[in-house]
Amino acid sequence: MCSRYFLDADGNIIAYTFRVPDNTAIRKRFNIAPTQDAPVIRADATGRREISMLRWGLVPAWAKELKVGTRMINARAESVDTKPAFRDALKHRRCIVPASGFFEWQGEAGRKQPFAITVTQQPLFAFAGLWERWKRADGDPVETFTIVTTGANESVARIHDRMPVILPMDAIDTWLTGPPDAALQLLKPYAGPVELRAVGKFVSNVNNEGPECLDDAQPAWDESPRQQSLL
């Protein structure tokens, strides 16, 4: 499961990295949570990449209420092509979610230790995502997205059994516009090195925002190893 991530990049860096128009309204975010708006990149009708702000938590077109999205912040890779909420989006509405890392927690309830997980020497990368457009009965359409997850790689498995699908840069076009069968082949644990770092519990409060979310954990946290970089 991925329920919190961060984006340590402004709109111009995202534009340069992913070849999309610059959006100066996009700012760094350090504690992105479900139901919040966040930038995603998708292909327009001509196949060109565009960047848009969508609400995190996919709401299928047939849903009756917006709150359905709180249960669909993630789509499991193993069932994304068969689950009714996601299978049409997999065929027609794939996107990528720019990120600098994500958070996971380990430990007992009430004493859980947060970890920031990043890709080694890659300060900005892409999660595989899906998006949908849902129309209120008496209002404007709402565009939403979900992050596709898969089994954890060896590093992440030390603290959690799932992780977001991290796409190699040369696979983004296939994910955005390729045939569904080819897209499905990309939904696997990240094979490169990632780093896990214990951070302070400031990030555990969904209302907190700012670079303090990435501050190191207090010295009292003495679990070993504090930081790992594994293949």
Side-chain angles (χ1 to χ4, degrees), residues 10-72:
D10 292 323
N12 61 333
I13 301 298
I14 296 171
Y16 176 81
T17 303
F18 296 111
R19 308 194 316 272
V20 293
D22 187 6
N23 185 333
T24 57
I26 295 175
R27 296 293 183 228
K28 296 179 179 182
R29 302 273 300 284
F30 296 94
N31 197 8
I32 301 173
T35 75
Q36 296 178 358
D37 288 351
V40 307
I41 294 168
R42 55 190 175 181
D44 65 16
T46 69
R48 298 181 62 181
R49 295 182 186 183
E50 65 177 16
I51 188 165
S52 302
M53 297 294 291
L54 273 61
R55 177 187 169 106
W56 186 10
L58 187 140
V59 182
W62 42 261
K64 294 182 179 180
E65 297 178 303
L66 183 63
K67 66 181 182 181
V68 166
T70 60
R71 303 196 301 270
M72 298 187 187

Side-chain angles (χ1 to χ4, degrees), residues 78 100 161 179:
E78 298 87 344
S100 298
D161 63 349

Side-chain angles (χ1 to χ4, degrees), residues 169-188:
M169 295 297 287
D170 60 3
I172 289 176
D173 282 336
T174 299
W175 176 252
L176 289 178
T177 60
D181 287 348
L184 281 171
Q185 297 302 311
L186 302 173
L187 303 182
K188 52 191 176 183

Side-chain angles (χ1 to χ4, degrees), residues 150-195:
T150 186
N153 64 14
E154 182 180 356
S155 298
V156 178
R158 294 173 179 264
I159 62 170
H160 203 277
D161 63 349
R162 305 287 296 177
M163 69 181 296
V165 172
I166 298 173
L167 295 170
M169 295 297 287
D170 60 3
I172 289 176
D173 282 336
T174 299
W175 176 252
L176 289 178
T177 60
D181 287 348
L184 281 171
Q185 297 302 311
L186 302 173
L187 303 182
K188 52 191 176 183
Y190 184 68
V194 300
E195 298 180 5

Side-chain angles (χ1 to χ4, degrees), residues 115 127 137 169 178 184 201 204 211:
F115 286 81
F127 297 144
M169 295 297 287
L184 281 171
K201 295 185 179 180
S204 297

Side-chain angles (χ1 to χ4, degrees), residues 60 62 71-72 74-76 78-90 130:
W62 42 261
R71 303 196 301 270
M72 298 187 187
N74 296 151
R76 293 177 67 93
E78 298 87 344
S79 58
V80 69
D81 59 336
T82 59
K83 192 170 182 178
F86 305 127
R87 62 191 180 194
D88 193 53
L90 176 71
L130 307 171

